[in-house]
Every structure is written in C-alpha cells, then in structure tokens.
C-alpha cells in the first residue's frame, strides 16, 4: 500500500465559521488529489446543479379565491331572494300563473341569468385581483369557474328558500345577510379555518362556503387539479341536493302564507 500522507493544518479556534469554509475547500482539494492518485480521472458520482425558483404566495393570493367565493355567495343569495320577494310583492309571480308562460321556464330563466352574471362577476374579481393588485392564480381558471357555477346553484337555491318565506324585499335582504354573514367571517375567506377552535371547525365544515373556498384554494394557491378536490366536490354536491329540497319546500308562485 502507498504511504499515507498527512497534511497538518492549524487554525484559529476563535473563527469557527471561517474554519468550516476553509476545511470544506481543503477537503475538496484533497479528495480530488486522492482520486487522481488512485488512477480515477473522472469520479463515477457527480453533482448536477440547476437553479429553481419557488413560487411566492402572498396573503392576497390566499384571500383572492375567498373574495371570489364571497362575492358569488352574496350576489346569489341576496340578489335572487330580494328580486323574487319584490316580484311577489308586486304580484308579478301571481300574474305569471295566468299567462301561457310556464312557471318553470320563468324560474329557469332567472337561474341561468344569475349563473351567467355570477361567472362574469367571478372573472372580473379575478382580473382585477391579478392585474391591479398583483395576485396570482397558480392553477386552472376554468376549473375555478366550474366550482363557482356549482356553488352558485347552492346559493341560488338558498335564495329561493329565503324568498319563499320573506314577507317583503326588506325582510328578504335581512334574512339573506343573516345567512351570508356567518359564512363570510367563519368559512375561511380571510383566514384559515384551522385557526378556529375545534368545535367551531366542525361546525364551519358543514357550511356550503367552506368546501368551495377550500377547493378554490387548492387550485388557485397550490396549483392542484380539480380532480384532487374530491371531498370538497362531494360536500358541494350534497349541498346542491339539500338546498334544492329547501327551495322546493319553501318557494311557490302563490301568495306567501301569513
């Protein structure tokens, strides 16, 4: 075996950080010399370096999906409930029953009009958030709009249920606010729901706005596909059925019962 050569080094114990840098450089030089003396010109294992940039998620990126969801919720619940209450107060709903227009067609027209306007509203909020306030959407915007459409059906059904029970447009507006405000502040629009107490987290998870915001943040902030939002989509689908049942139970074209 070849004789072992020891390189004696001396260092100042008062500079540990500088010593570590010097030892690292010296070790690399010695390792290279050892390889050459062993007849190895090219080491079998090398390190490839490639610079990558990690995405920066700001607080505004976090709340942007919540703002879209909140806007859609407020527009749908308050808009349809107040409009239908006003139609009832003006006896427009009762007059429709005396016309050849089928009530179902009138309702379908109202629903589609609100769905379309809700999508336009969502696109405008996203556009302003991205272009004006510098927000980022790391996932698919069409996937976000699919979620908006699904959730909007839920909120419209809730609006129909409120309109069926409200005595007048003012009462409908008050009830709509009473329904929307708790969701706005508790469902994670401005902060993560996991910061709430455990019992509140369980309650908030049952609200329709919560799975919507969770799914939208998965897509917008995490850049995930909509297929990864299975739990949230299931919760929204259940709410579609439940809210439709509430709307069917409470709303009718007839005069409101006293």
């Amino acid at each position: 075996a070849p004789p072992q050569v020891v390189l004696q080094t001396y260092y100042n114990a008062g500079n540990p950080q500088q010593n570590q840098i010097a030892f690292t450089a010296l070790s690399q030089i010695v390792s290279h010399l050892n390889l050459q003396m062993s007849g190895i010109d090219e080491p079998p294992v090398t390190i490839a370096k490639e610079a990558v940039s990690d995405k920066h998620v700001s607080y505004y990126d976090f709340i942007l999906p919540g703002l879209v969801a909140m806007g859609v919720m407020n527009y749908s619940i308050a808009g349809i409930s107040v409009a239908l209450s006003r139609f009832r107060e003006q006896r427009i709903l009762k007059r429709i029953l005396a016309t050849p227009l089928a009530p179902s067609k009138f309702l379908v027209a109202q629903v589609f009009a609100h769905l379309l306007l809700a999508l336009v509203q969502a696109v405008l909020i996203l556009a302003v958030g991205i272009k004006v306030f510098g927000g980022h959407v790391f996932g698919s915007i069409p996937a976000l709009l699919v979620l908006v459409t699904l959730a909007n059906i839920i909120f419209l059904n809730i609006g129909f249920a409120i309109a069926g029970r409200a005595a007048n447009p003012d009462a409908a507006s008050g009830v709509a606010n009473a329904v929307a405000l708790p969701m706005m502040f508790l469902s994670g629009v401005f902060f993560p729901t996991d910061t709430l107490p455990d019992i509140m987290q369980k309650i908030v998870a049952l609200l329709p706005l919560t799975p919507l915001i969770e799914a939208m943040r998965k897509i917008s902030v995490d850049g995930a596909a909509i297929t990864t939002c299975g739990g949230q989509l299931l919760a929204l689908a259940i709410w579609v059925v439940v809210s439709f049942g509430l709307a069917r139970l409470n709303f009718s074209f007839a005069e409101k019962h006293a």
Side-chain angles (χ1 to χ4, degrees):
Q4 185 178 15
V5 178
V6 178
L7 297 179
Q8 183 65 43
T9 59
Y10 299 92
Y11 61 92
N12 185 353
N15 297 317
Q17 293 181 347
Q18 295 180 3
N19 294 337
Q20 185 62 40
I21 296 174
F23 285 144
T24 301
L26 185 59
S27 296
Q28 291 178 350
I29 295 172
V30 171
S31 297
H32 183 67
L33 289 174
N34 287 330
L35 289 175
Q36 287 185 332
M37 294 175 67
S38 301
I40 301 176
D41 295 328
E42 295 294 335
V45 180
T46 59
I47 298 176
K49 297 180 181 179
E50 181 179 356
V52 295
S53 58
D54 190 17
K55 66 180 181 182
H56 173 69
V57 179
S58 65
Y59 176 65
Y60 190 78
D61 296 337
F62 174 81
I63 68 170
L64 181 56
L67 294 177
V68 174
M70 180 185 69
V72 170
M73 176 191 67
N74 287 333
Y75 168 74
S76 299
I77 294 179
I80 196 71
S81 62
V82 172
L84 291 178
S85 296
R86 184 174 291 112
F87 289 158
R88 174 174 283 112
E89 186 178 54
Q90 296 171 350
R91 298 181 181 273
I92 294 177
L93 297 181
K94 187 175 182 180
R95 293 170 187 168
I96 289 177
L97 294 175
T99 66
L101 177 65
S104 60
K105 292 183 178 180
F106 174 80
L107 293 180
V108 169
Q110 290 293 317
V111 169
F112 272 100
H114 278 78
L115 284 175
L116 179 60
L117 291 176
L119 286 175
V120 173
Q121 181 190 55
V123 171
L124 289 177
I125 294 175
L126 286 172
V128 172
I130 294 171
K131 299 297 183 181
V132 178
F133 295 98
H136 299 88
V137 174
F138 298 99
S140 169
I141 291 181
L144 294 178
L145 298 182
V146 170
L147 291 173
V148 165
T149 303
L150 179 60
N152 198 32
I153 296 174
I154 299 171
F155 299 136
L156 288 175
N157 285 335
I158 294 175
F160 272 99
I162 293 173
R165 289 296 179 182
N168 52 59
D170 291 335
S173 178
V175 175
N177 287 329
V179 171
L181 283 177
M183 289 192 284
M184 185 192 319
F185 289 106
L186 296 177
S187 291
V189 174
F190 304 104
F191 55 86
T193 56
D194 55 14
T195 60
L196 295 170
D198 292 341
I199 184 64
M200 287 301 299
Q201 291 184 38
K202 295 178 181 179
I203 295 174
V204 167
L206 301 176
L207 300 176
L209 188 63
T210 304
L212 171 62
I213 294 178
E214 289 177 352
M216 292 183 70
R217 285 208 174 108
K218 274 189 175 183
I219 296 172
S220 179
V221 178
D222 299 335
I226 194 172
T227 53
T228 64
C229 305
Q232 291 81 13
L233 290 173
L234 176 60
L236 291 174
I238 292 174
W239 261 107
V240 168
V241 176
V242 172
S243 62
F244 179 78
L246 291 173
R248 188 177 181 86
L249 180 65
N250 289 280
F251 181 80
S252 69
F253 274 69
E255 294 294 330
K256 179 185 176 297
H257 299 292

